Amino acid sequence: MMGPDEQRFPWHLDWNLLRTFMVVVEQRGISRAGDFLSLKQPTISSALKRLEETMGHQLIVRKPNEFKVTRAGQRLYAECSSIFGTVSQLPSLLQEDASELRGHISIMSASHVVSDHFDEVLSRFSEAHPRVSFSITVANSDEVVSRVSQNRVSFGMCLLHREPADLRTQILFREYFGLFCGPRHRLFGRDDVSLADLEGEPAVSFQTETEGGPLEPVTRLRLRAKMSTHWSGMSANLMETRRMIVANIGIGALPLHVARRDVDLGMLRQLPPDEGLPRINIYLLSNPRRKLSEAEAAFHEMLNAMLEDVPLEDRTYT
């Protein structure tokens, strides 16, 4: 049973302090948080101090050239994010009495998630419900998982190295990765290129090509080709990885169906091997704890219908 102090706590708490604290954590500093909120640094510092006094815990370690969120601060940030996600849904939830479906659907996606099946659902839903708006934000896969877990977005699309226990995960599609070089590379115009020709070649990679990461199979592909183990370029963004390949910073891996247009335009050339290429799952994420608005529920229902009607082999892009 809650004591008297616990019962009074939510009535005495200045909820604006939670928002300020969340921004400080996400901006990684008081000065940047002030710029984001258009507030002066002393105002942010004072708000943080008041929140720490109210909570009875130090939330952030503030030293010159050091910014660290304490364990108590990390727990509070997770709760603040969840509260923010719930509050952000209120406009959509209050529109549910309208005769025409309205609302907003926010999607966070890893870079360059290309799926004709998803795009078809997006098109049909938009045509059927023109008063529903969309926002799609690009981030790395870890950030996508984090924001869906925090209830900050409606849905996520990304790679996973393990399926989060607190989220609903569905395979949206599968893609195969191959190795590519750009038109400035010495192998681009060669008639015959063998796997041995790639030995020692400089490489560009994705940040998720780490041991145990979702693109670890792509790392094994480069090792199979005996390419240089010291990468010459790295990015979390597929289009920037493509840029480095075209600029001849190194050979890199890309999804075959995404690179196909550049191959046809003479901007990329696929290199060996042609067999045994890594297959990667792209997942649709949703939060079972989120109270879906009517618009979100309708969109999710249409997505689920597509996933049930279209076999996974037809959503495997080669």
Side-chain angles (χ1 to χ4, degrees):
M1 184 174 179
M2 293 177 62
D5 290 342
E6 292 173 310
Q7 291 176 344
R8 287 192 294 266
F9 176 80
W11 299 98
H12 293 167
L13 176 66
D14 183 348
W15 291 68
N16 286 322
L17 300 179
L18 298 180
R19 183 191 64 169
T20 301
F21 170 70
M22 186 183 73
V23 173
V24 169
V25 174
E26 293 182 349
Q27 295 296 315
R28 302 293 300 172
I30 291 175
S31 296
R32 287 192 291 270
D35 293 339
F36 184 89
L37 295 170
S38 299
L39 296 173
K40 295 181 179 180
Q41 182 174 336
T43 303
I44 301 293
S45 298
S46 175
L48 184 56
K49 182 178 179 181
R50 286 170 54 203
L51 182 61
E52 289 179 328
E53 291 173 349
T54 301
M55 293 295 175
H57 293 278
Q58 184 179 15
L59 303 174
I60 293 176
V61 176
R62 301 181 291 283
K63 295 180 180 179
N65 301 320
E66 181 181 4
F67 180 89
K68 181 180 179 181
V69 183
T70 66
R71 290 184 63 183
Q74 291 170 358
R75 289 195 294 270
L76 181 60
Y77 171 73
E79 295 302 321
C80 288
S81 296
S82 179
I83 292 170
F84 183 88
T86 300
V87 172
S88 68
Q89 289 184 263
L90 293 178
S92 294
L93 294 174
L94 294 176
Q95 289 178 341
E96 292 184 355
D97 291 333
S99 58
E100 187 176 9
L101 190 63
R102 302 175 182 225
H104 182 76
I105 297 173
S106 57
I107 300 171
M108 182 166 275
S109 171
S111 71
H112 224 65
V113 170
V114 177
S115 168
D116 290 341
H117 293 93
F118 178 82
D119 292 350
E120 175 63 22
V121 172
L122 199 62
S123 175
R124 287 192 289 111
F125 186 88
S126 180
E127 182 177 358
H129 308 291
R131 302 300 295 271
V132 176
S133 60
F134 286 86
S135 62
I136 301 178
T137 305
V138 176
N140 63 53
S141 291
D142 287 342
E143 180 70 8
V144 174
V145 173
S146 176
R147 289 306 173 100
V148 177
S149 295
Q150 295 167 358
N151 200 23
R152 299 279 293 274
V153 295
S154 309
F155 307 103
M157 300 186 295
C158 66
L159 304 87
L160 294 175
H161 60 278
R162 69 174 65 91
E163 297 187 27
D166 61 331
L167 299 181
R168 183 185 184 193
T169 61
Q170 300 165 278
I171 298 177
L172 183 60
F173 65 92
R174 284 174 170 164
E175 58 188 12
Y176 284 87
F177 275 72
L179 295 174
F180 293 87
C181 70
R184 298 175 178 85
H185 196 276
R186 63 180 182 85
L187 298 177
F188 188 85
R190 285 261 301 266
D191 292 333
D192 297 311
V193 178
S194 67
L195 190 61
D197 292 320
L198 276 62
E199 184 172 350
E201 282 290 324
V204 299
S205 68
F206 292 97
Q207 289 179 353
T208 45
E209 289 184 44
T210 56
E211 184 176 352
L215 287 182
E216 183 183 0
V218 175
T219 300
R220 294 199 296 268
L221 176 65
R222 290 194 285 109
L223 292 175
R224 177 180 163 193
K226 297 182 179 179
M227 295 171 58
S228 173
T229 56
H230 301 288
W231 49 265
S232 299
M234 177 179 286
S235 177
N237 188 289
L238 186 145
M239 293 308 294
E240 296 308 317
T241 301
R242 171 204 174 273
R243 183 200 303 273
M244 289 187 285
I245 296 172
V246 173
N248 200 28
I249 291 176
I251 292 172
L254 296 170
L256 301 184
H257 74 293
V258 176
R260 182 178 299 129
R261 181 182 180 188
D262 279 328
V263 171
D264 292 341
L265 292 173
M267 297 297 293
L268 292 172
R269 174 178 177 171
Q270 187 178 353
L271 300 169
D274 299 320
E275 303 293 334
L277 297 177
R279 186 183 68 187
I280 305 297
N281 292 335
I282 303 296
Y283 291 86
L284 174 69
L285 307 183
S286 56
N287 191 330
R289 300 183 306 279
R290 183 179 181 88
K291 179 176 172 57
L292 296 180
S293 67
E294 285 189 349
E296 290 172 329
F299 184 66
H300 201 197
E301 182 179 355
M302 188 175 287
L303 277 173
N304 284 331
M306 181 273 289
L307 296 177
E308 292 176 2
D309 294 343
V310 181
L312 182 55
E313 54 266 30
D314 292 341
R315 291 181 276 118
T316 300
Y317 305 140
T318 59

